[in-house]
Amino acid sequence: MSNHSRFAPSSMARIVSCPGSLKLCEQYPQAPSDAADEGTLSHEVIAAVYLGKPIPAGATEEMRDGAELWMETVGVHSGLRSIHVEELVDCSVIYRDCWGTPDLWAYDHNSHVLYVYDYKYGHSFVAAYQNWQLIAYAMGILDNPLLGPVEQIVCTIVQPRNYHSEGMVRSYVIAINSKNRYLDHLKEACRLADQGGSMCITGASCRHCPARHVCQALQSSNYDIAQYIGQALPFELTDQALGYELTRFNAAQDVLKARTSGLELEVVSRINRGASIPGWSMKQAQGRQKWTMPVAEVITLGVLMGIDVSKPGAITPKQAIKAGLPKELVADYSESHVGAVELVADNGRNASLIFKGE
């Protein structure tokens, strides 16, 4: 096996919905990000908690809470003989160079049920229903000759920071007699992705596609959506038309957001490399102003000025100014932290303020 799975199960949802994305993403690989680092650390935390190892440095309280939910969910299998945590699974039964590492899978020798779990730390909803990442793992596990007979596959997503009506733990059950239908679908998707000239198809997978900023299909789709939104629609819609319209526009918003976020990342990258992008610039956000002295002294200062700045504790510097404390006095006992650098629309006024002093 290579160091990186070309047809990784973690990318399978995108490959299935958009075969052309594989080769496009190979030209524009995923850039490192804080979210990716956070996700990696959160997975290290759940693995450490499950295996009884020390919690990794940098773990947040949220990550610890997520690990508790993970343990509550997968702990029901603690009595099983076959439990596998972060073990590589060969999925070449789907396609060559297809392999990955499930967060956890377990096999019940009595009920003949295969359980496959994936932990998602992000906020965006991840469905368990026909989750191609979990299904790909399952196909690889089923190909293991050491596995006993399987009657059902239970694919489960554990997502502690997504408060969905289906709950934070969501499962999808596959009867074993449906196995070949899913396997054939995965095989065909990988075959199409591997051949030259495969089409890019817009959809939900565009949202996190590394190549969304250079995808012509996504660009054209957004132009079509923008034009469609600009057309006059009848005021009175039938029930059927109303439902169709809302469904279409919700889907359109996802596609627009995907293209927009990709373009924003590319604009930020180019500006940071010294490029000048018409209509856009980077701006230092104003950080939150905080007191530089103990809360008790802030309250005492307010008392001396005849102003109540307690809440309990102490109100913020901005609130204290609104309450009547002199702005200059507050400035002496507080500081403004530097905010994040963010992308802002620039019609040229920002540059004129810098160079002309307007």
Side-chain angles (χ1 to χ4, degrees), residues 294-308:
V295 171
E297 294 182 20
V298 174
I299 295 174
T300 301
L301 179 65
V303 171
L304 292 175
M305 300 292 295
I307 300 171
D308 182 12

Side-chain angles (χ1 to χ4, degrees), residues 13 25 56 104 113-114 120 122 139 177 249 266 274:
C25 289
L104 183 145
V113 176
L114 171 64
K120 299 294 186 185
M139 295 302 111
N177 57 12
F249 275 102
E266 182 64 12

Side-chain angles (χ1 to χ4, degrees), residues 10-338:
S10 58
S11 302
M12 202 58 72
R14 190 185 70 239
I15 292 173
V16 168
S17 61
C18 178
S21 65
L22 176 70
K23 293 194 174 182
L24 199 59
C25 289
E26 288 176 340
Q27 299 177 57
Y28 300 91
Q30 185 76 57
S33 67
D34 291 340
D37 292 340
E38 185 181 56
T40 299
L41 180 57
S42 69
H43 277 75
E44 292 174 354
V45 171
I46 64 169
V49 170
Y50 188 89
L51 298 173
K53 295 181 178 180
I55 301 294
T60 65
E61 194 63 34
E62 254 189 328
M63 291 179 186
R64 293 172 184 268
D65 291 342
E68 286 186 16
L69 176 64
W70 176 253
M71 290 299 296
E72 290 174 7
T73 305
V74 302
V76 298
H77 304 304
S78 58
L80 298 182
R81 298 200 309 270
S82 297
I83 302 178
H84 305 261
V85 180
E86 294 285 349
E87 291 185 12
L88 187 147
V89 171
D90 180 3
C91 302
S92 56
V93 65
I94 298 172
Y95 210 75
R96 62 179 180 275
D97 202 8
C98 179
W99 52 270
T101 309
D103 294 327
L104 183 145
W105 70 270
Y107 172 65
D108 190 327
H109 291 263
N110 295 320
S111 62
H112 300 157
V113 176
L114 171 64
Y115 299 91
V116 187
Y117 290 88
D118 193 53
Y119 183 76
K120 299 294 186 185
Y121 193 64
H123 293 281
S124 300
F125 174 76
V126 178
Y129 174 75
Q130 290 188 351
N131 185 289
W132 293 108
Q133 178 180 5
L134 289 175
I135 294 173
Y137 286 142
M139 295 302 111
I141 296 167
L142 289 172
D143 195 48
N144 187 332
L146 299 178
L147 191 72
V150 174
E151 296 178 7
Q152 277 189 340
I153 305 166
V154 180
C155 299
T156 301
I157 293 291
V158 180
Q159 193 173 14
R161 298 200 295 176
N162 180 263
Y163 303 96
H164 194 269
S165 59
E166 295 180 21
M168 298 178 190
V169 180
R170 305 179 280 273
S171 296
Y172 178 58
V173 180
I174 300 174
I176 197 62
N177 57 12
S178 301
K179 168 197 168 185
N180 288 338
R181 176 163 58 88
Y182 288 100
L183 181 58
D184 290 344
H185 196 76
L186 287 168
K187 286 182 175 180
E188 179 63 10
C190 291
R191 185 190 68 80
L192 289 172
D194 196 26
Q195 70 180 21
S198 297
M199 295 180 63
C200 285
I201 304 169
T202 60
S205 62
C206 297
R207 187 171 187 176
H208 300 294
C209 179
R212 61 191 184 276
H213 64 291
V214 295
C215 179
Q216 291 184 2
L218 184 58
Q219 180 187 43
S220 299
S221 175
N222 277 268
Y223 286 156
D224 289 343
I225 291 169
Q227 182 181 13
Y228 179 75
I229 291 173
Q231 295 174 356
L233 296 174
F235 180 74
E236 292 292 339
L237 296 174
T238 65
D239 292 347
Q240 183 177 7
L242 181 63
Y244 172 78
E245 204 68 45
L246 182 57
T247 300
R248 178 166 180 173
F249 275 102
N250 277 334
Q253 286 179 16
D254 289 338
V255 175
L256 285 168
K257 287 177 182 177
R259 178 66 177 176
T260 301
S261 64
L263 292 175
E264 286 176 345
L265 289 173
E266 182 64 12
V267 168
V268 169
S269 175
R270 293 192 187 186
I271 289 177
N272 287 337
R273 296 199 302 266
S276 177
I277 307 299
W280 297 93
S281 64
M282 301 297 291
K283 179 182 178 181
Q284 187 81 53
Q286 179 64 48
R288 186 178 179 184
Q289 190 174 9
K290 296 183 179 180
W291 297 108
T292 56
M293 61 182 185
V295 171
E297 294 182 20
V298 174
I299 295 174
T300 301
L301 179 65
V303 171
L304 292 175
M305 300 292 295
I307 300 171
D308 182 12
V309 296
S310 61
K311 64 173 186 180
I315 59 178
T316 66
K318 285 189 177 181
Q319 291 172 334
I321 293 172
K322 288 184 178 180
L325 280 181
K327 185 176 182 179
E328 296 75 13
L329 182 63
V330 171
D332 290 337
Y333 297 103
S334 66
E335 62 183 8
S336 293
H337 292 263
V338 176

